[in-house]
Amino acid sequence: MELKQFDGQSKNELAMVDVAHAILEQTGEVTNYNDLLVQVAEYLELNDNELETEMIQFYTDLNIDGRFISLGSNRWGLRGWYPIDSIDEEITHDNDEEDEKPRRKDRQGFDDVDVEELDDEEEEDGVDYGERVAVDEHGVMVDDEDEEDENIVGLTVVDDDDVLDDEDEEDE
């Protein structure tokens, strides 16, 4: 592979990340990390020992360098290829089929209400929308399980203030 921007420069002086940028810029394609590493090593004429010692730093440099973007599944591209709004779509694009669920419009016209989630929530809580619920002095909903915990045989419920008062008396 010939990279014109490095004409006249010694390959020993080039950074792997700069070579990777030039390769991606020239090919214009998203590339797997291992393939990119091999292409960079071939261009820089690195032997196996040099490649082994440099590949971890190369991966770190790809992550740190703002010109690159990881697109998941160990694939890399250039950030400049993507408008900011489309980056999340590209990264999460492969699991769109799993996310497809029927949606319905609610009364205000919003269409992001998931029918299955609403049905699941009603079953889990056991409380229908609009139904009155018991709350404790802190405004936390109390259910039957909470009431059972308060009546455990052999345990005494102690008020926090009583415990704190006892500690104050011991300190004096």
Side-chain angles (χ1 to χ4, degrees):
M1 175 177 285
E2 197 60 37
L3 301 173
K4 295 179 183 176
Q5 61 257 45
F6 298 129
D7 286 345
Q9 291 185 0
S10 171
K11 291 182 179 182
N12 300 7
E13 298 173 358
L14 296 175
M16 291 179 73
V17 72
D18 292 332
V19 174
H21 184 268
I23 290 171
L24 289 174
E25 210 170 49
Q26 185 171 333
T27 62
E29 295 178 1
V30 172
T31 307
N32 185 300
Y33 171 76
N34 294 329
D35 296 336
L36 187 60
L37 182 65
V38 168
Q39 291 173 7
V40 169
E42 286 174 359
Y43 182 80
L44 294 176
E45 299 170 355
L46 300 176
N47 64 37
D48 290 341
N49 290 335
E50 292 172 322
L51 180 60
E52 189 172 329
T53 58
E54 296 294 325
M55 66 189 230
I56 295 172
Q57 184 62 48
F58 174 59
Y59 186 80
T60 302
D61 292 343
L62 284 177
N63 279 294
I64 293 172
D65 194 317
R67 299 176 293 176
F68 299 93
I69 184 168
S70 173
L71 299 168
S73 301
N74 215 9
R75 299 174 321 136
W76 290 87
L78 296 179
R79 187 171 300 275
W81 295 344
Y82 301 94
I84 293 174
D85 295 339
S86 71
I87 290 175
D88 287 338
E89 294 171 10
E90 174 69 24
I91 292 172
T92 59
H93 159 245
D94 58 340
N95 58 358
D96 284 344
E97 294 131 16
E98 298 170 4
D99 295 340
E100 293 298 322
K101 292 183 181 176
R103 302 207 178 267
R104 69 173 183 209
K105 287 192 175 197
D106 71 358
R107 293 181 196 141
Q108 287 82 24
F110 298 106
D111 61 352
D112 59 349
V113 177
D114 188 347
V115 176
E116 291 178 23
E117 277 185 31
L118 289 175
D119 293 341
D120 292 344
E121 287 176 12
E122 289 176 1
E123 291 172 13
E124 289 175 14
D125 293 339
V127 177
D128 292 329
Y129 179 76
E131 183 179 340
R132 293 195 181 269
V133 295
V135 294
D136 64 9
E137 65 273 7
H138 303 290
V140 177
M141 186 174 88
V142 178
D143 59 8
D144 296 335
E145 293 175 13
D146 292 339
E147 291 173 8
E148 292 172 6
D149 291 344
E150 291 177 5
N151 299 325
I152 297 175
V153 178
L155 294 179
T156 306
V157 177
V158 180
D159 190 17
D160 290 342
D161 295 333
D162 295 339
V163 173
L164 294 174
D165 290 342
D166 291 343
E167 288 177 4
D168 291 340
E169 289 173 8
E170 290 174 7
D171 291 340
E172 294 175 359

